[in-house]
Amino acid sequence: SIRSHKMRSFLTMLGIIIGVAAVVLIMGLGNGMRQSVTDSVTGDKDTVQVYYEAKGEELDPAYADLAQPTKPVKEVWLEQVAKQTPGIDSYFVTNSLTSSISLQKKTVKNVNITGASQGYFKAKKLEMLTGRSLQDNDYKNFSRVIVIDQMVAKKLFETNGDALNQVVTIGNNDYRVIGVYKNKDTAIGAYGEIGTALVANTQLAAENNTDAIGQIFFHVTDVKNSSSVAKDAAKRLTQLSQDDNGEYKAADMSSTLDQVNTIFGTITTVVGAIAGISLLVGGIGVMNIMLVSVTERTREIGLRKALGATCRKILTRFLIESMVLTILGGLIG
């Protein structure tokens, strides 16, 4: 019967195909958006952030570099924490500012200039598209060198290779480009993508009169224990600092993630339910065609009953036919 009415069978399945495809697409997009937001919130899962919080205030970890401890953090403290805390093998610190990068008449505005310590490049495992990252001598000699991401390189140069050894200007200072890296965490601002450039944190601090240590990160060996390891590191750093006016805390994004998951879960459910209406319509279409099919086959049904077929067997035949149509439509969808 299905083969003898190919066009009708296909049109019957079409409602199921569209309904299933719509539901799968909506659920997939919802989960994809939720995962994307989750990744942007958590960042690198193998690095944990520790920030200072004064007594009596609750600070958002996103603005952790704005809180200044009464006793400035020392590199020696961080080295001790990294060595003494199980589950941590290294650390790195950053400071940052937003500025424009210029090359002759070309300018890229609102670039995130990140000052990175030596451990940054090892922990982040950056993919260099051309050139090299910062090395020991760059820190020792306070070299004015810079590593830019692919977005900044695209706006200033023809190719990534053309960027090497070119001198760009940040504020009133000139820097020599030594490398271009692939930035997987490009942020979106009011004017589009925000580029990122990396310099030595000590160089950035010296030229802009800021602290060399703005944000503190520890690299964990097992991401499953990152939450507990981060709390241990924060506790040890608080003990070493002996700061009575505040303490160090681990950035906990669990509450933010719960809110994100709740919001996207609700959106996905609602939109998925709306898409599910098309499934209902497709099902009604199958029911309608089966009803027409029963009317068309009155003579066949009478002949079967005359030969001893029961109503249940006749009903089973039509049910199997509708199941074949819906299963095929569902698989295609």
Side-chain angles (χ1 to χ4, degrees), residues 112 120 126-127 129 148-151 180-187 194-197:
N112 180 25
Y120 179 92
L126 299 180
E127 180 184 347
L129 301 176
I148 59 177
D149 68 3
Q150 76 277 15
M151 201 214 80
V180 178
Y181 76 99
K182 185 176 182 179
N183 188 3
K184 300 178 181 178
D185 304 316
T186 304
I194 300 176
T196 302

Side-chain angles (χ1 to χ4, degrees), residues 17-289:
I17 292 171
I18 294 174
V20 172
V23 172
V24 171
L25 182 64
I26 293 298
M27 299 299 288
L29 286 173
N31 290 331
M33 287 189 294
R34 178 165 53 187
Q35 188 62 47
S36 177
V37 173
T38 300
D39 289 344
S40 65
V41 171
T42 56
D44 295 327
K45 296 178 178 61
D46 57 352
T47 57
V48 293
Q49 182 183 0
V50 172
Y51 64 97
Y52 179 82
E53 185 176 278
K55 289 184 177 179
E57 70 175 16
E58 291 187 5
L59 187 66
D60 189 335
Y63 303 96
D65 55 339
L66 300 179
Q68 298 298 327
T70 52
K71 295 182 179 180
V73 181
K74 298 179 180 179
E75 289 269 356
V76 180
W77 299 349
L78 301 179
E79 291 176 1
Q80 289 185 28
V81 172
K83 290 179 181 179
Q84 297 174 2
T85 306
I88 292 178
D89 57 2
S90 62
Y91 75 92
F92 66 87
V93 298
T94 62
N95 53 7
S96 62
L97 58 85
T98 301
S99 182
S100 299
I101 297 182
S102 303
L103 175 71
Q104 298 175 356
K105 295 182 179 180
K106 295 181 179 180
T107 301
V108 183
K109 297 181 179 180
N110 299 318
V111 179
N112 180 25
I113 311 297
T114 300
S117 65
Q118 290 175 276
Y120 179 92
F121 298 93
K122 181 180 179 181
K124 288 285 188 177
K125 299 176 181 177
L126 299 180
E127 180 184 347
M128 298 301 299
L129 301 176
T130 185
R132 64 174 179 85
S133 60
L134 298 178
Q135 298 177 352
D136 293 346
N137 289 333
D138 298 324
Y139 290 89
K140 292 177 182 177
N141 301 328
F142 282 84
S143 303
R144 279 185 178 170
V145 292
I146 188 171
V147 179
I148 59 177
D149 68 3
Q150 76 277 15
M151 201 214 80
V152 177
K154 183 179 180 181
K155 291 189 176 182
L156 292 179
F157 307 99
E158 293 286 337
T159 64
N160 293 333
D162 293 339
L164 294 182
N165 294 318
Q166 295 293 325
V167 177
V168 296
T169 303
I170 301 177
N172 298 320
N173 300 313
D174 293 334
Y175 285 81
R176 181 169 57 89
V177 179
I178 59 171
V180 178
Y181 76 99
K182 185 176 182 179
N183 188 3
K184 300 178 181 178
D185 304 316
T186 304
I188 305 296
Y191 302 99
E193 288 186 331
I194 300 176
T196 302
L198 304 174
V199 299
N201 64 314
T202 49
Q203 182 73 20
L204 191 68
E207 293 184 343
N208 296 278
N209 195 27
T210 61
D211 293 329
I213 300 177
Q215 293 180 311
I216 304 169
F217 298 89
F218 291 98
H219 186 265
V220 298
T221 55
D222 188 356
V223 294
K224 295 179 181 178
N225 302 324
S226 59
S227 179
S228 59
V229 169
K231 291 178 181 178
D232 291 341
K235 187 177 180 181
R236 289 177 184 271
L237 189 57
T238 301
Q239 293 172 348
L240 289 171
S241 66
Q242 297 180 349
D243 193 333
D244 298 330
N245 298 316
E247 61 180 343
Y248 289 90
K249 288 189 174 183
D252 186 8
M253 295 297 182
S254 58
S255 59
T256 305
L257 287 176
D258 290 340
Q259 294 177 1
V260 169
N261 290 330
T262 301
I263 293 171
F264 275 98
T266 303
I267 293 173
T268 304
T269 302
V270 172
V271 179
I274 295 173
I277 295 175
S278 59
L279 260 182
L280 177 62
V281 173
I284 294 174
V286 174
M287 291 163 60
N288 185 39
I289 294 300

